[in-house]
Structures are given as structure tokens and as C-alpha cells.
Amino acid sequence: MKATDPSQPRERALLVQVVLGRRDRREAEDSLAELERLADSAGAATIGCITQRRDRPTPGLFVGEGKLVDIQLACREGKANVVIFDNELSAVQVNNLDLALGIKVIDRTEVILQIFARRARSAEAKVQVELAQLQYLISRIPVSRKQQRFQGGIGMRGPGESPLQLRNAPMRRRISDLKRRLDRIGKRHASVRKRRPWPLVSLVGYTNAGKSTLLNACTQAGAYVDDRLFATLDTKTRLVHVPENRKLLLTDTVGFIRHLPHGLVASFRSTLDVARESDLLLLIADAADPGIATQIDVVHETLAEIEAEAVPYMIVLNKSDAATQDQLDHLLAIHHDAVVVSARKGEGLDKLKARIVEELLAHDVHFPGENDHG
Ligand SMILES: Nc1nc2c(ncn2[C@@H]2O[C@H](COP(=O)(O)OP(=O)(O)OP(=O)(O)O)[C@@H](O)[C@H]2O)c(=O)[nH]1
Ligand SMILES: [Mg+2]
């Protein structure tokens, strides 16, 4: 018998998506395709997808009763051992679905959290992931009716904690402890960044856009590249030589994705702080991806969420080798100032470096030694 290959997916997942109300069909399809890639990154092979259009979810099961039967049959037929919902489920819905289907049911947020947990390497990333997981867990503990009555109902508010808070006290203590540790790590990093002698440029963008590949291409940095979502969870900063003997710092960051759980963004604050404190952001986008417009929108939204929307940025259209001329022309008509590169082939990098210097100087960022002479 062949030995089990550790790279083989261990779980068999059935994907379920409920398209609510007037949600755009195309966006829903992209989201489902992305869920399949997320499942793969988390170690599960997709055995099928079930979609349903509804005006609103049912409170108990999210899907209708008829759809539940379809899901049961598909699971049995495809020997699924996990059902992954593209929609965000409430604690009660997860519970009911678990019981009704007899197998594990998780939602998109939980898949992303699992990937992050698998990928975290540095102490900082591990603390951030644990914090995100705990905050997610605590938000998912079902509140029974009895407990709800105790939660500050009229005439019920007294001193001390509610029974629910008491039950969660150890978790809350751990959360504050992790927050304190992250705060210390963040302050240490910030003080190092403040004393930097070179301009700081960060690569930001949708997951899998090619940020780490570009960092490697510019610096031979050896950052981890993988055709999987969320390959990078730790930032890497490298010194890059640019024309006229100038130098700057280039930083790789964790990728963004649509519906990135808010708790995760908040937890990765100390990693993402680098973007906010940069002199320039390179917004890396995959020019060959038909969903590039949504991806750029998501990146802008996430930048706003981490309060980095005021940092100057330029758009870099990567993977030009995989894009058609039509795709590139269309994108350049929208983003006039974008720079086209292929990180994989090392094309367009000299032009990119020259443009970075131009942008920095235009924003009054100086290179060390230069303002003394000027
Ligand atoms: N064809 C082509 N593929 C590329 C190019 N740049 C990167 N890739 C591929 O795209 C995939 C993702 O690259 P990464 O550099 O890991 O992407 P990333 O943006 O760092 O992704 P995360 O760390 O997940 O956010 C890998 O398979 C790369 O080989 C390019 O210029 N052309
Ligand atoms: Mg990366």
C-alpha cells in the first residue's frame, strides 16, 4: 500500500452557498470559487457545491428544509466529512446543522481562521491568530434564553458579571493577556520603524496577487511563495537598491480577501501597522484575474479599515505574462498610472523601481544624505 502523502487533502468538503436577496450573481460565483481555494488551503478537497437563492436565511438552519435534504444526499453520495458554508452562520445555525447533518459544519470565517492557524510561524503571528480564534469563539458561544434574561434586562442590571461573562472569564483573561503581548510587540516594531534611515515601501494586495514573488524578484529575499491563499502571514522587510545608489526598505504583508473577518483584521493589527506607517504602498493586483476590480475594491476597503487609506499608493499590475494584451489595455485605461510587471519573469522591475523613487520624491520623502546636499 502506498504511504499516505501528507500533502494530500485529508478532508472531503461539500460547499454550500446561499445567494441572498439581490446579491450579484457574478460576485457570488467568484466568492464560491474562492471558497474552494480556501478549502484547499485549509487541507480539504471539494466534492461538490450546492447553491440556493433566497430572500433571507431561515433562522434555524440558514437553508430551507428542502435544501437540507439535498445537502444530506450530496454528503452521503460524495462521502463528505465537512460542510463549508460561504455565508456567515450564527452559533445556533451551526449547532442545528451539525445535528441535522451529523457531520462538521463550518463557515467561511472559520476556514480562514484555520488557514491562518496552520500558516502562523512567528511568535507574533501565532499570538495574533490565537487572539482572533478566541474572539471568534467567544462570539459564537450560544446564549441560552435564560442567560439572555440575565443579561441586563430591565430591572435585572446589578453589580458584578452576568453568568455568561463568568463562564467566559478565563477566555477573557487570555484575550486581554494576548492583547497586552501584541501591544508590546507592536510598540517594539514601531520604534524600530521610526528610527529607519531609509524610506519604507509596503506591498499590499489581495491574497495570491504575487506580493512575495515581487519582493523576491526585487531583492532575492527568499520569501515563501505558494499558489495557495494566505501563503504569507509574517511580514518580511528587505533593503532594495534603486537607481542612483539609493536604497529603500520593501515590506511584504499578509494578503487581503473579501469578507475578511473583522476580528482577524483587528488581530493582525500589529502586522498591518507597517502599511499605515509606510511612505508608499504598492497595491499589487493580479492582472490576469477576471475578478481584479473587486479585488482592488476589497484592498481599498481593508486599507480604510486599518486606517492606511491616507498613505500614498500606486497600483502595480502583476502577472503581465499571464494576462492578455486586451486585459492589460483595459486595466491601463482605468488605472492610467499603474505599472505593469511580471514578478515571475522579472519583467518591468527597473521601471517599477524608477517609478517608486519618483513617487517618493513627489511626496517629499527623502533618501538619506540627499537633503543635506540639496
Ligand atoms: N504567471 C505569473 N504568476 C505569478 C507571478 N507572480 C506570482 N505568481 C504566482 O502567483 C502565486 C502567488 O504568489 P505569491 O507571491 O505567494 O502571492 P502573495 O500575494 O504573496 O500571496 P499571499 O501571501 O497568499 O497573500 C504563486 O504561484 C506565484 O508563482 C507572475 O508575475 N506571473
Ligand atoms: Mg505572500
Side-chain angles (χ1 to χ4, degrees):
M1 226 172 85
K2 268 203 295 186
T4 7
D5 179 358
S7 66
Q8 281 292 308
R10 277 151 297 143
E11 297 199 273
R12 299 172 61 78
L14 176 77
L15 309 186
V16 179
Q17 181 189 50
V18 182
V19 183
L20 293 172
R22 284 198 296 271
R23 185 177 177 189
D24 183 64
R25 180 205 298 235
R26 177 64 201 280
E27 200 274 324
E29 281 169 7
D30 287 350
S31 182
L32 192 63
E34 195 169 84
L35 186 67
E36 184 168 348
R37 300 203 62 199
L38 285 169
D40 175 57
S41 282
T46 296
I47 57 108
C49 305
I50 287 192
T51 59
Q52 177 178 38
R53 205 170 246 291
R54 293 187 69 93
D55 285 338
R56 62 182 69 85
T58 68
L61 291 163
F62 206 92
V63 291
E65 303 245 330
K67 252 322 171 226
L68 186 70
V69 175
D70 291 350
I71 296 173
Q72 265 162 339
L73 286 175
C75 283
R76 205 170 310 148
E77 238 163 59
K79 299 195 177 58
N81 50 10
V82 58
V83 175
I84 307 179
F85 271 73
D86 193 39
N87 311 76
E88 203 163 319
L89 301 171
S90 75
V92 173
Q93 286 157 347
V94 170
N95 217 17
N96 291 344
L97 286 163
D98 267 344
L99 286 176
L101 295 169
I103 59 176
K104 191 166 60 173
V105 176
I106 60 179
D107 65 9
R108 186 186 175 91
T109 300
E110 204 171 330
V111 179
I112 295 178
L113 282 171
Q114 281 185 13
I115 298 171
F116 272 59
R118 282 167 71 125
R119 291 288 154 107
R121 291 287 173 271
S122 70
E124 183 183 13
K126 284 182 179 157
V127 172
Q128 297 181 116
V129 169
E130 189 185 343
L131 179 61
Q133 284 178 319
L134 282 177
Q135 281 175 330
Y136 178 72
L137 264 182
I138 220 161
S139 73
R140 301 319 272 312
I141 292 173
V143 184
S144 72
R145 271 225 212 102
K146 201 161 131 215
Q147 284 168 333
Q148 275 172 348
R149 278 217 301 275
F150 274 108
Q151 277 192 316
I154 296 169
M156 295 291 291
R157 211 167 306 157
E161 293 174 299
S162 75
L164 186 69
Q165 280 169 330
L166 279 178
R167 203 177 73 195
N168 298 338
M171 251 203 257
R172 291 194 190 283
R173 270 199 298 277
R174 179 78 184 147
I175 287 176
S176 346
D177 179 46
L178 292 170
K179 280 185 174 163
R180 265 197 303 276
R181 275 165 64 182
L182 272 183
D183 210 43
R184 276 202 299 275
I185 298 175
K187 281 196 178 117
R188 211 164 53 226
H189 287 181
S191 85
V192 172
R193 279 196 295 268
K194 274 221 179 70
R195 283 181 276 124
R196 67 179 182 252
W198 303 286
L200 177 63
V201 178
S202 290
L203 300 161
V204 294
Y206 213 74
T207 178
N208 212 51
K211 299 176 291 298
S212 301
T213 311
L214 189 60
L215 180 78
N216 289 344
C218 288
T219 66
Q220 289 92 46
Y224 179 61
V225 171
D226 196 352
D227 193 15
R228 287 199 163 175
L229 304 187
F230 298 116
T232 307
L233 287 193
D234 300 300
T235 55
K236 255 201 173 64
T237 304
R238 291 291 178 269
L239 198 60
V240 177
H241 294 263
V242 288
E244 295 179 36
N245 252 338
R246 290 165 164 146
K247 296 184 193 77
L248 53 84
L249 293 173
L250 192 59
T251 296
D252 191 11
T253 61
V254 48
F256 304 154
I257 198 165
R258 76 192 81 196
H259 315 307
L260 190 65
H262 289 287
L264 209 52
V265 177
S267 304
F268 269 75
R269 198 59 200 239
S270 91
T271 295
L272 292 168
D273 270 351
V274 66
R276 189 155 35 95
E277 290 167 18
S278 295
D279 298 303
L280 178 68
L281 298 176
L282 300 188
L283 207 159
I284 316 299
D286 179 348
D289 192 319
I292 185 171
T294 318
Q295 300 194 353
I296 292 180
D297 286 347
V298 169
V299 173
H300 281 302
E301 282 162 24
T302 315
L303 287 175
E305 204 170 335
I306 60 170
E307 291 158 46
E309 77 269 45
V311 181
Y313 71 90
M314 56 189 260
I315 292 186
V316 178
L317 300 169
N318 187 31
K319 308 200 187 180
S320 61
D321 59 291
T324 63
Q325 193 56 46
D326 270 0
Q327 273 176 315
L328 292 173
D329 289 345
H330 174 71
L331 288 168
L332 284 169
I334 305 169
H335 310 285
H336 309 281
D337 289 336
V339 184
V340 176
V341 300
S342 164
R344 181 179 276 180
K345 301 223 155 151
E347 285 164 7
L349 301 186
D350 288 340
K351 184 157 179 227
L352 174 65
K353 287 177 186 173
R355 275 290 311 279
I356 293 173
V357 173
E358 254 175 51
E359 277 311 304
L360 287 170
L361 293 175
H363 285 95
D364 265 344
V365 180
H366 293 282
F367 291 82
E370 291 189 0
N371 25 358
D372 318 341
H373 310 297

